[in-house]
Amino acid sequence: MVESLWADANARTVIVCTLLLNSAAALIGCFTYLQKKSLTGDAVSHSILPGIAIAFLFSGVKDLWVILPGAFLTGGLSLLSIEYILRHSKLKQDTAIALVLSVFFAVGVVLLSYIQHHGNGNQSGLDSFLLGKAAALLSADIPLYFSVAFVVVFSVLLFYRPFMLISFDRSFALSIGIAAHRWQQVMVVLSVLAIVIGIQAVGVVLMSAMLITPAVAARYWSHRLPVVLLLAVLFNMIASVMGIIISYKYPSMPTGPWIVVCISSIAVLSFFIGNAKGILRRSSLTVQK
Amino acid sequence: MQLDVSHISIQYQDNVVVDDVSFQLAPASLAAIVGPNGAGKSSLLKGILGIHPLKKGNVYFNGQTLSSVRPHIAYVPQRESVDWDFPATVLDVVLMGRYPHLNWWKRYRSIDFNIARKSLEQVNLIDLADRQIAQLSGGQQQRVFLARALAQEASIYFMDEPFAGVDAATEKNIVSVLKELQAGGKSIMVVHHDLQTIRSYFSSILLLNKKVIAFGPTDEVFTPERIQQTYQRESLLL
Amino acid sequence: MKYEIILTAILVALPCSMLGCFLILRKMVMLGDAISHAVLPGIVIAYLVFDSRDPWMMLWGAGCTGVLTTLCIEILHKRFNVQEDAAIGVVFTFLFALGVILISVFAHNIDLDQDCVLYGEIVYVPLHRMDIGVLSVPVALPPLILVNAIVFFILIVFYPYFKLSTFDSAFAAGVGMSVGLWNYVLMSLVSFTTVAAFESVGAILVIAFLVVPAASAYLWSKQLKTMCLLSLGFAIASVCIGYMIAQQWDVSISASIAMGSGILFGISFVIHTSGKVIVRNKQ
C-alpha cells in the first residue's frame, strides 16, 4: 500500500511537498503559540482568500507566482488592520481578530462567487484553497513551494535565539539591545509566508490547526524549546503522511481535514500520556510527592 | 558606573507617568526607588533602559549614551511579566544573560556555561539547573532572574520589585548578593515597596511620585515628612 | 422570492447581532467563532440520524454539539492547562475537519455539500416550501422564527442577569448568581442560532453576523441597552446593503451581507477615530 503510494511519482511530489509545508507551519506555529497569539494565525489564513481572488481577477491565471504575492499581501494587511483597530478603538483583541477574519473572508467569498459567475472557465480549482487539495499540487509549482518553505525553516533555525528571547521575556530582550519590534516583524512575515504556502494542503479554514495543534501537543512532551520545535515538526509530518495515505486509499476523502483530524488525535493522546505535562504523568508525579 | 539622568519625561498615550526626573547615581551605590502605586517607578526603569521611549531628557552612563554601554547594563523585570510555563529550564534562562557577550554566530561557549553555573551557585539554585521553570516557587523564580542578571556581568543593575512575593530565605539571599555586588563596585537600582526594610538594605534612596520628591543617602532623605510628601502628593496638589 | 430572501437574512442577522453584543463584552467572541465551526459535525450527524426534512431535531442535535464544544474548550483550558485561545483553535479545527469528513463519507445519504458549508445557500431558501394552513412558506423560515423568539425571549426576560454577569462576573458570583449557568445559556443560544443560520449562510460566515454589527454598535454606545438596539439596526442595514451589492454584481448574497456589515464598520470606525483626533487636537 505505502510502497505503491511511493511508486506513484505524483503522490511522491504531494507527500514531499506537504511534509515541507507543514514543517514550516509547525516551526513558526510554536512561536505564535508561545507568544499567546494562536488565533491571529487563524485571521491570517482566512484573510488570504481575497488576495488569491484578487490576484486571479487581475491576472486571469492561476499561476502560483501571481497568487502567492496576492495572498501574502492580504494576509499581512489583515494583521495590520487588527493592530490598527486595537490601537485606535476600545475593541478588544478577540473582537478585532474575529472582525477582520470574517470581513476579509466574506470579501474573498464575494470575489470568488463573482469569478464563478463571470469567469472565463479557467477558474476551476480556485476553491480548492478553501478546504485544501494536496493532490492538486502541481509539480511545476513545487520549486516555489519548496524554496518558500526552505526560507521559513532556515530562518527559524538561524534566528532561533532572538525569537526565543522576545517570546519569553520581551522587556529583557529590549534591555539587552535586541530590536524586539524588528524581530517580531520578521517572525510575522515568516508566519504569513508559512500560512500562504500551507493553505494549498489544508485550506484557509483549517490552516490554523497546522500552526497551533502540533505546538500544543509537543509542549506536553518536553520542557525544552528545541525539543518542542522538533516534536512539533515530527507530529505534523506524521499527521500529513497519515492524511495523505487515507485519501490515497479512499480517493473521495479530503486530505486536509484528515490531516487535521490526525494531528488533533496526536494532541489528545499527548494531553494524557505526554511525559512532561500529560495528565496521567502529572497525577503519578503528585502521588510520588 | 556613574548614572546621569537629566530631565526625563515618559508618556503612555496621553498620560504623563514620569515628569522631569533628574538624579545622579554614584558608582558603587545601592539605591531604592520608592513611591506609591502608579508613581512611575517601573516606567522610570524602562525609560532609563530604552525599553520605553523617552518623551524628553537624556540618560548617560559614565558620560556615554545607552547604546554604547549596553553590554554593561543588566535588567531584572517583574516576575509576573513573563509566562513561566515557557518551555525552558533554569539553565536556559540564565544563559539568556550571556546573549550580549556572544559572537555573531550566537552559540554558547564553555565559558558561558561556566559563568551561568557560577551565577546559579550565587543564588543557591545550582541543584535545580535542569528543572523546568514552571516547577519553581516564586522565590526561586525570582532568584533565576537575578542569576540571569549576574550572568550578564554588568556594571549597573536595575531590578523591578525583586522582593515582591518571595520567601524570607530568598529575600536574605538577594540582599546579600546585592551587597556583594555593591562591594565589588557595581551600582544597583531597585524598585522597592517595603518601607520597613529600606534602612537596612539600601544606602541611598529615590523618592518618586511622577516627579522626584527627594534623592540622597538613606539617612538624610528617608524622613517621615518626606515619606508623607511622597505618598500624599495628590492631596498637596489640590 | 426576493422579500423572502431578505426576510430570511434579517431573521439570521437579528439574533446573531444581539448575541454578538454579549460575546464582545464578555471577550468570548472567539468562542462564538469556535461554536459556529464546531456545530458542523452535529448538523451532519443529525441529518443522518433523523430525517433530513426535520429541522427541529437537527436544531436540538446540533445545539448539543455547541455546548459540548464549550465544555471541551473549558476542560482543555482548566484541566489540561492549555492556553485558552490555543484550546479554542485546537477544538474547533478538529470538529470542523470531522464535519467535512463526515460530509464526504455520507455524501450519498445527505444533501449537504462543501459549498453549502462554506457559504450557505440563501438563494435556494424560497425554493423549498412547506404549507402551514393556507400559507406557503419556505421550510427554513419556521425554525428561524422559533430561534428568534427563543433568543429574544431569554435575553429580554433575563436581561438583568446577563447584564450583571457580563459586566462584573466576580461580583455576580459574590451575590449568589450562577455565572457558569448564564455562560452556558448564552453559549447554547449561540449554537441554536448558528445551526438555524447554517442553511442560509453556512458555518464560517456566521461569525461575521455575530461580531461585526455588534462591534460597530460598540463603537457608538456607552450603554448596553443602546448597544443592543444599535447592533440590531446595523444588522438590518447590513442585510439591505449586502443584498443590493449581491444584486448589482451577481455575487454570493450571504458573503455580500457580511461584507456590507464590514463596510458599515469601516465607516463607523473612520468617523469614530477621526472624531477622536479632532478632540485631541482641540486639547
Side-chain angles (χ1 to χ4, degrees):
Chain A
M1 163 63 218
V2 179
E3 293 83 53
S4 67
L5 180 65
W6 192 246
D8 183 340
N10 189 40
R12 211 160 50 211
T13 9
V14 169
I15 291 181
V16 171
C17 211
T18 312
L19 286 184
L20 202 65
L21 303 185
N22 287 341
S23 311
L27 274 183
I28 200 76
C30 283
F31 285 102
T32 47
Y33 166 72
L34 291 173
Q35 294 196 326
K36 303 200 168 31
K37 289 182 175 159
S38 300
L39 291 174
T40 43
D42 200 26
V44 173
S45 57
H46 280 75
S47 308
I48 277 169
L49 194 59
I52 293 172
I54 290 171
F56 177 77
L57 263 180
F58 279 109
S59 66
V61 290
K62 285 200 304 276
D63 208 345
L64 212 56
W65 291 97
V66 183
I67 286 186
L68 285 194
F72 182 80
L73 280 185
T74 48
L77 188 66
S78 72
L79 286 178
L80 293 180
S81 321
I82 291 174
E83 215 162 278
Y84 192 81
I85 288 175
L86 284 179
R87 191 167 307 156
H88 293 280
S89 75
K90 53 181 178 175
L91 292 178
K92 307 293 179 300
Q93 180 159 3
D94 61 332
T95 311
I97 290 177
L99 195 136
V100 168
L101 173 160
S102 60
V103 172
F104 271 71
F105 185 76
V107 174
V109 173
V110 165
L111 291 173
L112 274 191
S113 65
Y114 182 85
I115 294 170
Q116 248 153 26
H117 295 166
H118 305 263
N120 51 10
N122 186 23
Q123 75 274 16
S124 65
L126 268 188
D127 49 352
S128 73
F129 287 106
L130 281 164
L131 290 171
K133 201 175 252 175
L137 282 168
L138 300 172
S139 39
D141 295 336
I142 302 287
L144 182 58
Y145 279 120
F146 205 87
S147 37
V148 176
F150 182 75
V151 166
V152 173
V153 173
F154 187 71
S155 314
V156 170
L157 298 181
L158 191 64
F159 304 140
Y160 165 78
R161 231 178 280 284
F163 283 179
M164 181 262 287
L165 275 165
I166 65 170
S167 303
F168 174 62
D169 190 346
R170 199 184 156 86
S171 41
F172 173 77
L174 282 165
S175 82
I176 60 174
I178 291 177
H181 194 66
R182 189 100 29 90
W183 286 112
Q184 187 72 42
Q185 284 168 342
V186 172
M187 213 189 273
V188 165
V189 168
L190 291 177
S191 65
V192 177
L193 278 179
I195 294 171
V196 166
I197 55 171
I199 50 168
Q200 178 76 55
V202 291
V204 298
V205 184
L206 291 172
M207 185 60 213
S208 59
M210 301 322 294
L211 295 167
I212 314 167
T213 314
V216 174
R219 184 64 189 87
Y220 275 78
W221 291 97
S222 173
H223 292 312
R224 305 290 313 271
L225 185 53
V227 185
V228 169
L229 291 176
L230 205 70
L231 281 176
V233 170
L234 189 72
F235 289 161
N236 247 1
M237 285 184 163
I238 294 173
S240 309
V241 170
M242 281 161 75
I244 290 172
I245 289 179
I246 289 169
S247 67
Y248 185 76
K249 202 166 181 190
Y250 307 97
S252 67
M253 287 291 150
T255 319
W258 269 112
I259 296 178
V260 172
V261 166
C262 292
I263 190 71
S264 307
S265 312
I266 293 175
V268 171
L269 211 63
S270 309
F271 293 156
F272 286 98
I273 61 167
N275 62 0
K277 284 176 72 184
I279 194 150
L280 296 178
R281 305 301 174 106
R282 226 194 304 164
S283 49
S284 65
L285 274 181
T286 36
V287 171
Q288 279 174 8
K289 276 179 191 170
Chain B
M1 186 176 266
Q2 158 111 8
L3 169 67
D4 284 291
V5 173
S6 71
H7 303 290
I8 65 170
S9 295
I10 299 169
Q11 204 169 334
Y12 282 96
Q13 269 134 27
D14 293 339
N15 257 344
V16 178
V17 288
V18 170
D19 189 11
D20 197 34
V21 165
S22 303
F23 63 89
Q24 289 175 332
L25 190 71
S29 33
L30 175 52
I33 305 178
V34 176
N37 287 327
K41 304 184 293 289
S42 300
S43 306
L44 178 62
L45 287 195
K46 287 184 178 171
I48 292 173
L49 291 162
I51 298 172
H52 198 276
L54 299 177
K55 185 90 196 311
K56 53 179 205 261
N58 293 303
V59 178
Y60 295 105
F61 299 84
N62 278 352
Q64 290 174 295
T65 55
L66 177 66
S67 50
S68 48
V69 292
R70 209 175 288 260
H72 306 289
I73 297 170
Y75 171 53
V76 179
Q78 286 185 20
R79 182 159 51 87
E80 291 80 21
S81 66
V82 305
D83 173 17
W84 288 92
D85 208 27
F86 198 89
T89 61
V90 169
L91 190 64
D92 288 336
V93 176
V94 179
L95 278 170
M96 288 179 193
R98 296 304 301 161
Y99 187 88
H101 302 281
L102 300 181
N103 53 13
W104 66 273
W105 186 232
K106 300 294 178 201
R107 291 292 171 270
Y108 296 131
R109 293 153 299 166
S110 59
I111 181 171
D112 298 314
F113 284 98
N114 290 341
I115 291 171
R117 292 194 174 277
K118 210 184 76 205
S119 310
L120 275 175
E121 272 163 20
Q122 273 180 281
V123 297
N124 304 329
L125 279 181
I126 190 68
D127 298 335
L128 302 180
D130 293 322
R131 191 71 76 83
Q132 204 271 327
I133 50 175
Q135 297 164 345
L136 303 176
S137 72
Q140 288 167 337
Q141 290 174 345
Q142 191 64 58
R143 279 184 277 154
V144 173
F145 263 13
L146 180 61
R148 180 175 68 178
L150 292 175
Q152 285 182 259
E153 297 190 312
S155 318
I156 185 162
Y157 293 77
F158 297 91
M159 305 190 183
D160 203 343
E161 302 200 21
F163 300 111
V166 303
D167 51 293
T170 297
E171 184 154 342
K172 231 175 116 187
N173 172 259
I174 295 178
V175 171
S176 74
V177 171
L178 294 187
K179 299 222 154 151
E180 250 172 65
L181 284 174
Q182 186 190 16
K186 321 278 188 190
S187 304
I188 306 114
M189 275 202 106
V190 180
V191 172
H192 193 55
H193 263 299
D194 184 8
L195 296 179
Q196 310 292 327
T197 50
I198 282 185
R199 268 178 205 285
S200 50
Y201 289 178
F202 297 100
S203 58
S204 52
I205 177 171
L206 173 72
L207 290 172
L208 184 77
N209 193 342
K210 290 189 183 170
K211 291 168 175 292
V212 177
I213 308 297
F215 177 69
T218 311
D219 300 331
E220 290 171 26
V221 173
F222 198 59
T223 60
E225 307 85 66
R226 287 263 173 72
I227 294 166
Q228 206 171 15
Q229 199 187 343
T230 312
Y231 282 81
Q232 292 188 341
R233 193 172 168 80
E234 249 65 47
S235 57
L236 282 175
L237 280 173
L238 285 175
Chain C
M1 284 282 279
K2 178 180 166 186
Y3 294 106
E4 277 167 354
I5 292 177
I6 296 181
L7 181 65
T8 312
I10 288 180
L11 285 178
V12 169
L14 287 182
C16 281
S17 59
M18 264 299 252
L19 292 168
C21 293
F22 291 98
L23 289 180
I24 286 181
L25 293 173
R26 284 167 173 252
K27 305 184 186 70
M28 292 167 96
V29 175
M30 290 319 284
L31 194 55
D33 186 30
I35 288 178
S36 63
H37 284 77
V39 293
L40 185 62
I43 291 174
V44 180
I45 291 171
Y47 252 103
L48 288 171
V49 175
F50 308 107
D51 184 16
S52 66
R53 307 238 175 279
D54 192 354
W56 310 103
M57 296 316 286
M58 203 178 87
L59 218 56
W60 287 111
C64 293
T65 350
V67 175
L68 199 71
T69 313
T70 321
L71 207 65
C72 281
I73 292 171
E74 210 160 277
I75 290 174
L76 273 194
H77 178 49
K78 299 221 168 103
R79 184 94 179 84
F80 291 88
N81 282 326
V82 180
Q83 297 166 18
E84 195 172 12
D85 50 351
I88 290 175
V90 171
V91 170
F92 93 77
T93 49
F94 170 66
L95 288 172
F96 189 78
L98 198 65
V100 177
I101 290 173
L102 285 175
I103 289 179
S104 4
V105 174
F106 299 104
H108 306 293
N109 309 43
I110 50 177
D111 56 346
L112 267 179
D113 58 13
Q114 291 188 352
D115 277 0
C116 175
V117 174
L118 291 166
Y119 340 108
E121 291 177 329
I122 202 166
V123 193
Y124 302 125
V125 161
L127 300 182
H128 306 285
R129 306 188 78 86
M130 63 189 278
D131 293 318
I132 301 179
V134 288
L135 271 177
S136 166
V137 294
V139 183
L141 272 189
L144 268 179
I145 292 172
L146 177 79
V147 163
N148 269 276
I150 295 176
V151 168
F152 282 97
F153 178 79
I154 293 183
L155 284 186
I156 290 170
V157 169
F158 299 106
Y159 179 79
Y161 292 89
F162 283 112
K163 188 177 173 180
L164 188 60
S165 64
T166 301
F167 172 67
D168 186 349
S169 62
F171 175 77
V175 296
M177 257 177 68
S178 172
V179 178
L181 173 75
W182 293 109
N183 206 7
Y184 276 97
V185 170
L186 192 68
M187 287 311 141
S188 15
L189 289 182
V190 170
S191 28
F192 283 140
T193 314
T194 49
V195 173
F198 174 77
E199 213 165 322
S200 332
V201 301
I204 304 172
L205 285 168
V206 175
I207 185 64
F209 286 74
L210 279 169
V211 69
V212 187
S216 317
Y218 185 51
L219 290 180
W220 290 108
S221 37
K222 291 196 166 65
Q223 275 183 314
L224 180 55
K225 212 173 271 177
T226 36
M227 181 174 166
C228 290
L229 292 175
L230 262 179
S231 76
L232 294 178
F234 273 114
I236 295 174
S238 322
V239 170
C240 298
I241 294 177
Y243 190 78
M244 284 194 293
I245 294 175
Q247 287 300 303
Q248 187 68 40
W249 285 285
D250 187 19
V251 290
S252 158
I253 296 176
S254 48
S256 306
I257 294 172
M259 197 171 86
S261 62
I263 294 172
L264 286 177
F265 176 81
I267 296 171
S268 308
F269 185 78
V270 168
I271 296 175
H272 189 72
T273 44
S274 56
K276 252 194 350 201
V277 170
I278 292 168
V279 171
R280 207 176 280 170
N281 285 350
K282 273 182 186 166
Q283 286 173 346

